[in-house]
Amino acid sequence: MSSHRKTLGPKVCGVLATCITLGIFLIYYSVKFGLNHPPGATGDEPIYDSIGWELAHGRGFRLDFQNAEFRQPYDQAAKSSELYQLTTESLAGTVADRPPVLPFVMSILDRTFGRQFWGIRFVNAFCMAAVCGLLVAFVCQLTDARIALISGLLYVVVDTRTRFYGRTLLTEPLTTLAVAILCWLLFRMAQRPSLKQAVCIGGMLGVALLTRSQIILWTPVLLLIVFWLAFRQPPVEPGASNERLANEGTRRLRRAVLFTATAVGTMLMVAGPWMMRNCRVLGEFMPLGSQGWVQLSAAFGDAIWANHGVWVNLDSDGFFQGVTQPGMTRLESEVVLAHESRRRAMEWIAANPGKAVALAPMKVFQEFRPRTIPQWTILTLSIMGTILSLRDDRTRILLGVIASCCVAIALTWSVEGRFIVPLLFAQHALIGLGMNRLFSKTPT
């Protein structure tokens, strides 16, 4: 009976936390902002909105800011504020610079409910609420419902990122949920490595990659974690002969290689069709699309060095002036911009190797640097939790996930905190592990 309760308790707490958090978010958004109000006209949100709208009408994975039906809610809102004034200069056409999951979700909602914004806000709010549910279930499994409640309150009340990104039309909520599930799968693999777990981890990596292309830069470290978890299990007979131990080491190495290769293969099976699509429409080997190459000079160049590792808008700085030619399609423009940006970034790295290396820690520092009291609070508590629970395998796994994100930031740029939003579960789980060490009489 006690075992049943222990199993049931975290699940019930997690479901309750998800439902309550979702209710809080939706009420908060409805009262303060309105669920169906368009997002601001600058940034990534209207781009995903347009692609989703085009998909919903069978026109393919394309962007078109000139479509009158698409523009209507923005134009209406722009009458009271210039923040909603969409540009009319954006080149319409098929695109290959965005990941597909968010636009496809939005297209389903547009086909089902028509022109609206509340549907995707509900989905994104649910994703952020589900991360809270996974967090509460994890902490409840460690200790009890009371400490899990503290974790939930820190997530919902103290950490302002959870409330902010839950109402956006961005990829962060979907990616944050995917990374949280990935952490759970890694925890399970730590307990009992199996080929099934490797398949699940690879599949979730593929899903995460389709929500956010930058995840490809996370994968080397994440795959090292999979290799470590599969290899580290001790021999079946600790007192066996040296020959038996040597054979056992070979068996463990083979298992680790098999599990890691399985994770890679499953990831490619999930993301492969989209990668092939990108190469086909671009006519170039750019499996993850053009965005990474187009923005490479934003990662390595004089502008980001002067900005201390924080992203700079190359378009507004005139970096690409004269690169594209009139009459080019949007895809042709993407390819030309990718070639130019890659060429100039490589030239800069070759001319400034010291600065290129120094940019890596600079970017990571800028991304993790707290800028508000809530950010200071969460970062401090997560560091304390890490110190208190450093011997716990789950802490080491979470640190590995965080390290994988740091690699991605070092190779790209800082956006002053946005790139670490997918680490919400990891940060708050470290706090939970620390509280377990502090308050639990029998820490696990």
Side-chain angles (χ1 to χ4, degrees), residues 123-374:
V123 170
N124 279 350
F126 172 79
C127 288
M128 299 303 275
V131 174
C132 183
L134 290 172
L135 171 68
V136 167
F138 172 70
V139 178
C140 187
Q141 198 174 57
L142 287 173
T143 54
D144 55 44
R146 293 171 297 177
I147 295 179
L149 175 62
I150 297 173
S151 290
L153 290 173
L154 285 171
Y155 181 91
V156 176
V157 179
V158 177
D159 199 329
T160 57
R161 295 171 297 176
T162 62
R163 301 191 300 276
F164 175 79
Y165 283 97
R167 66 181 173 88
T168 63
L169 278 62
L170 296 170
T171 61
E172 274 76 8
L174 288 163
T175 310
T176 302
L177 178 57
V179 172
I181 295 172
L182 185 63
C183 289
W184 268 86
L185 292 172
L186 290 170
F187 294 157
R188 289 185 179 182
M189 192 169 200
Q191 294 175 340
R192 185 177 297 177
S194 69
L195 204 60
K196 179 182 177 181
Q197 294 292 346
V199 169
C200 292
I201 289 170
M204 189 50 58
L205 267 174
V207 171
L209 181 58
L210 293 177
T211 65
R212 195 178 189 89
S213 301
Q214 194 200 44
I215 294 295
I216 193 65
L217 300 176
W218 293 39
T219 53
V221 176
L222 292 176
L223 291 172
L224 282 175
I225 297 173
V226 172
F227 184 93
W228 166 61
L229 293 175
F231 180 80
R232 74 191 181 106
Q233 298 300 309
V236 177
E237 300 175 11
S241 65
N242 289 336
E243 182 179 356
R244 180 67 182 274
L245 289 173
N247 292 335
E248 180 67 17
T250 302
R251 186 187 69 83
R252 288 160 56 195
L253 178 61
R254 288 176 179 173
R255 181 177 63 179
V257 171
L258 173 63
F259 285 11
T260 306
T262 299
V264 172
T266 310
M267 179 186 72
L268 292 176
M269 286 180 64
V270 173
W274 182 252
M275 292 179 171
M276 289 188 287
R277 176 265 179 191
N278 285 332
C279 293
R280 179 177 58 83
V281 299
L282 289 168
E284 300 265 350
F285 183 72
M286 297 183 187
L288 296 176
S290 60
Q291 188 177 31
W293 292 122
V294 171
Q295 293 294 322
L296 192 61
S297 284
F300 298 97
D302 290 329
I304 193 170
W305 176 261
N307 211 29
H308 310 293
V310 178
W311 179 78
V312 290
N313 190 327
L314 297 178
D315 290 320
S316 64
D317 284 357
F319 183 86
F320 292 122
Q321 188 173 3
V323 175
T324 59
Q325 300 298 323
M328 282 185 171
T329 67
R330 189 174 181 94
L331 286 173
E332 289 171 341
S333 296
E334 288 182 17
V335 172
V336 170
L337 294 175
H339 287 169
E340 178 67 11
S341 182
R342 178 168 53 190
R343 179 187 68 80
R344 293 174 66 174
M346 294 303 179
E347 288 177 355
W348 187 88
I349 292 171
N352 303 274
K355 288 183 178 180
V357 172
L359 270 174
M362 195 182 300
K363 295 169 184 176
V364 174
F365 171 77
Q366 290 285 5
E367 195 64 13
F368 280 87
R369 179 169 67 92
R371 290 165 176 82
T372 64
I373 292 176

